[in-house]
Amino acid sequence: MKKFLSLIAIAAMALVFTAGSALADFASGQLIRVIYQDNGDVEMATSLGSVADLLGTNNNTVGSSVSLSSFAGADYSNLNVAYLVYGGGANTTHYFSGETDVVPMTGSRNGSSLNTNLNTVVSYYSTLGTDSATASQGSVLSFAYRFGTDGLLADFYTRGNAIANLADLATAGYVDQTLYSFATPNAAAAGVAVATLRTALVNGVMVTTVNPSAVPVPASLLLFGSGLLGLVGVRRKTA
């Protein structure tokens, strides 16, 4: 009887896990990759999974089903990529992609505008698919419409920092960006780098590799460590 009950419990847990996974799609907390073209109307969004999970381990390669053939008349120089995470509310942590060597910062960050527009775009994607969506840039709900120019995105930080062109896919085979977190969207503070995002070509398909940033060792901890080493040295000399 105990074995039977244990099996039921395990099955129930598996069912809950499966249901939770199925509900991931474009919900808050999901890392979303958006690729759109300059010379057309196509915008393709892919939910890559929970940002918390992706930041937990190294070399997470995720997201497929997007290739150059998805964008009629485009080459890689016509395509742009951005990454975002809608935190779920105006006072939650949002994430945005940015350049690897320029920490995004502005003195007039408009968290309310960012929150509203992220929610609009993510909700739009949810109506188009589960974990992938093909959207029209002509829609006022699309990422390209709301963030693809220095309009609403400029309230947060400039388009050039957030969105990367994919021309290098044709030569280097990859494009690197940094994922920044903004825990206090309305504060005039720099974003915190949390991961390196690499958009790469694998067998003609665009995939993303997520590598969490190294966590810096606090200066106080380094000082404590050097102090311990000093004490060990003194003890050895005394001995």
Side-chain angles (χ1 to χ4, degrees), residues 28-29 85-95 111 114-115 182-186:
S28 61
V85 177
Y86 172 58
N91 297 314
T92 56
T93 299
H94 300 310
Y95 298 78
L114 176 72
N115 177 74
F182 298 89
T184 50
N186 281 309

Side-chain angles (χ1 to χ4, degrees), residues 127-149:
T127 67
L128 300 174
T130 51
D131 57 359
S132 62
T134 301
S136 167
Q137 294 179 39
S139 170
V140 296
L141 307 176
S142 71
F143 176 88
Y145 181 89
R146 291 183 173 259
F147 292 107
T149 60

Side-chain angles (χ1 to χ4, degrees), residues 75-194:
D75 57 34
Y76 291 118
S77 66
N78 302 128
L79 301 182
N80 307 288
V81 62
Y83 294 83
L84 57 94
V85 177
Y86 172 58
N91 297 314
T92 56
T93 299
H94 300 310
Y95 298 78
F96 236 101
S97 52
E99 294 181 275
T100 57
D101 55 351
V102 180
V103 178
M105 181 172 178
T106 176
S108 59
R109 182 167 297 132
N110 189 331
S112 177
S113 173
L114 176 72
N115 177 74
T116 297
N117 287 284
L118 280 180
N119 181 38
T120 297
V121 171
V122 172
S123 297
Y124 174 47
Y125 291 156
S126 295
T127 67
L128 300 174
T130 51
D131 57 359
S132 62
T134 301
S136 167
Q137 294 179 39
S139 170
V140 296
L141 307 176
S142 71
F143 176 88
Y145 181 89
R146 291 183 173 259
F147 292 107
T149 60
D150 279 332
L152 295 170
L153 184 60
D155 290 334
F156 195 60
Y157 61 93
T158 61
R159 173 190 183 278
N161 285 343
I163 301 167
N165 185 263
L166 288 176
D168 283 349
L169 286 185
T171 52
Y174 65 88
V175 172
D176 282 348
Q177 292 168 280
T178 297
L179 184 66
Y180 293 94
S181 70
F182 298 89
T184 50
N186 281 309
V192 177
V194 295

Side-chain angles (χ1 to χ4, degrees), residues 38-87:
D38 290 328
N39 63 337
D41 185 53
V42 178
E43 171 176 309
M44 298 197 73
T46 307
S47 180
L48 304 177
S50 162
V51 70
D53 292 343
L54 291 171
L55 295 179
T57 55
N58 292 316
N59 294 313
N60 288 293
T61 300
V62 288
S64 58
S65 74
V66 177
S67 64
L68 185 60
S69 61
S70 303
F71 305 89
D75 57 34
Y76 291 118
S77 66
N78 302 128
L79 301 182
N80 307 288
V81 62
Y83 294 83
L84 57 94
V85 177
Y86 172 58

